[in-house]
Amino acid sequence: MTSLYVGFVVAGTEYALAASDVLELEAFSGATEVPSTLPHVEGIVAVRGKVMPVLDLRTLFGHERVAPTRDTRVLVTRRGARVVALRVDSAREVLKLEPSQFQSAPALAAHEAAAYVSSVCMLGQRLLLILALSRLLGEEDEHHDDEQRRLIPNSSATGPHALPSRGDR
Amino acid sequence: MTVETNLKEFFTAYLVEMGEYLVAANTQLLALEASLRAGGANPRAVRETFRALHTMKGLSAMVGVEPIVGVAHRLEEFLRDYDKRGTKPPLASIDVLLRGVRTIELCIEELGSGSEPHPIPDNLFRDLEAIEPSGQSLEAPPPALSLAPDLVRKLAPFELAQLTQAEQSGQRALRADFCPSPERAAAGLSIATVRERVAKVAEIVKILPLSVPVSPDAPGGLAFALLLVTSESDAAIADAIGVPATTLSALCTPSADAGAALDVPLPAEDRQEPVRDGGAPQRSSLRVDVARLDDVMERLSALIVTRFRMARAVATLEAAGANTAEVTAILGETARQLRDLRAAVVGVRMVPVADLLERVPLLVRGLRRQTNRQVRLELVNGNAELDKSVSERLFPAIVHLVRNAVDHAIETPDERLRRGKPQEGLLRIVCASRSNNRLDVSVEDDGRGIDAEAVARRAGRPAPQSASELLDLLCVAGFSTRQVANTTSGRGMGMEIVKRIVVGELGGELELETAWGAGTKFTLRVPLTLSIVDAFLFECRAQRFVVPVSTVEEIVHVDPDEIVYGPRANDRGPAVGVIARRGRSIPIVMLRELFNWGAAEASPKAIVVKRAGAALAFGVDRMLGQQEVVVRPIEDPLIRLPGVTGATDLGDGKPTLVLDLIAFSEVLSAGRHRAESPS
């Protein structure tokens, strides 16, 4: 069974996400900043009338944020009811990958961003890192949820529970 | 495929319709119960409940929901006897009947969530059979009805009962005759319009057609006798029918002459079927799926955004030296038309506040029994209307407050007597619309009030100095459900949820007034509509923001030199200064500092908001103007923050944040709380 993946580049490394997670690819010219969010939340954008957050994968993967270029793209991804845009340096290809090409990612275990990578794919000489969308969106890690509630960034010492928690349902 | 879709649509319609008849049945049963308790009868309520059950049976048979058919049939049969004989059912039956209706409701809920309905508990039918008929028959026609016997014969027992018992409920039974004629028809008076007009001032018990001798007043030889029950004046009724007030006659007074004078014998050969009694005036209405209205609203929103874009393009042209006078005029006209269209669409989505509260009496009744409290419920609806989606979100908050009031606030009857209060507690819910598109809903009880010190002890915080601080304490997440509700007089079960709904989801305000020993009043202040609001535009570090006009008290000019900064409690968070405003001091925070966006520029403007009566100013770089904006909700947890209610498109294709400064002020005071608390 071959599956479709969307390939893209972040800070010189090739990554891919399952095509079933990606709704569309859009050019990117800047987001509206939302104060007091996590560092990798670049802000919000509207795509076809729908407002969604943009995550800068460069920042999330530990690189410096750069100004958008003509190649910069956002991948509009969907997970359950959430729609989130991911900013990448460039994105062009849709890849057909065979299960035999996948390997688990033990070599990355020590890497700080290892949690985001679910497997590695060999494509001839190319190495593709396959990302797990749920982890990019912070869904398997409760700390993200707590942190995003902090409105005043450096007030964390007294704990997140003192704030009205609008984020949880 | 099509057939299946149709069936599904039909089934959805079935569920909605059943919901309405269930509400009707509950309401009528509660009205019946109230009458029975007061020692009276309420044949109309019996009749209406019977009708609702009958309709539910029919509808359910059509879609093949057998359990409901069974229950509805049995309840209907039970009521049929009383309806036929015009007697009143025993008080004890109301409980069983309500349980029966609840059983149907549960089935509908289960069907709605896609599961099979449970079988009907058999004890329901047993309990129904166990109820002895009360036998207080009203069958013997009551004496004082001044109506010709052949007319009396045309009335059903419950109709007779209704006329004779009008006095008990402080009303009068009247007869008025209307003769159709070409002149009256030309003036817009036909039996149909008369019925509609009369229904507004009186309850129509029956309309009987009569054949009368041809006369100038009755050129057709036809008259209608309207038998009414009303509390309005004769003049109001006569006016609705278009006859002199002197032609009205009372049906239930000892003086029989007036009535007899108007009685007209009805020749046997002219007998007709009575005109179906009018009841409520028939208004033509349409049931529309809310999703379709949302779709209309969505398209309208897109149109408004397009207009913003057009306005920007015109501004660019004008800046380039083009003559845009005509286009600008057209733009202005479009703006007006869009505003009208918006008002029309918003109007379609409005539902009466009364609808919101119609389920409260049943809720209170259930709580009364669970808690053994005696509670009198007073509902003051006014005639306010609010958006359907607001109404739906608001209801759970009201349920929480009502539950808290009966459960925690109102004392047991014994305790109330000891404290010198009437045995029966009072729960009062008042809805009133305010001028600035807001609705106030207050839930008030005369119970024991909230013990602020006990609450503070439980929370491990210093005692609150004001009602708003106490409210903050009550609304802390997870505060009372575990720690307070079962041990002390505290309430607060679900207060966090109430606050999240009112403040978080609806962008409203929550207020508390409480007096120890005397009672508590919660006021929920919510916008009547969501999605499109009038907003102020402002700028902060070259980024534009909007803030709804309805949340702003005033916009003031601030001279930076006038801001006084006191000692800072710690070096965390933004610096809070103080400005003098009309003889009062107002705290001021620079929005830039709040956002951690570096030091503020010399800030000439500040937006003042009020939270729980206390003013707070937010310094911004520049005010840009005021316009209507379409608010799109921000839902993703990564960007859902207190103080950010949504985003809007001002026409540049980029989202602009819609801020709720009142929520920011709350976060700030929470921050101060932390600084003050011993931990």
Side-chain angles (χ1 to χ4, degrees), chain A residues 29-30 32-38 40-41 43-46 49-53 55 82-84 137 145 148-155 157-159 162-169, chain B residues 298 477 496 500 503-504 541 543 545 571-574 594-597 632-645 647 653-657 660 663-664 666-668 670 674:
Chain A
S29 57
T32 302
E33 191 177 335
V34 182
S36 314
T37 44
L38 293 171
H40 66 271
V41 177
I44 51 174
V45 288
K50 179 153 178 63
V51 178
M52 62 191 79
L55 306 189
R82 292 178 68 185
V83 176
V84 176
L137 304 189
D145 213 39
Q148 61 91 12
R149 286 186 202 155
R150 258 186 272 147
L151 179 71
I152 304 162
N154 47 11
S155 64
T158 42
L163 284 176
S165 52
R166 177 182 280 190
D168 57 5
R169 296 182 184 236
Chain B
E298 190 65 23
E496 183 212 357
R500 197 171 69 212
V503 180
R541 202 190 60 175
Q543 182 168 330
F545 294 90
D571 56 357
R572 303 181 191 285
L594 187 64
F595 292 168
N596 228 17
W597 280 358
R632 295 184 188 283
I634 286 189
E635 282 148 4
D636 199 276
L638 286 169
I639 43 176
R640 260 182 80 155
L641 301 163
V644 177
T645 44
K654 282 189 180 171
T656 299
L657 291 179
D660 173 6
F664 274 131
E666 213 153 285
V667 171
L668 280 172
R674 283 202 303 276

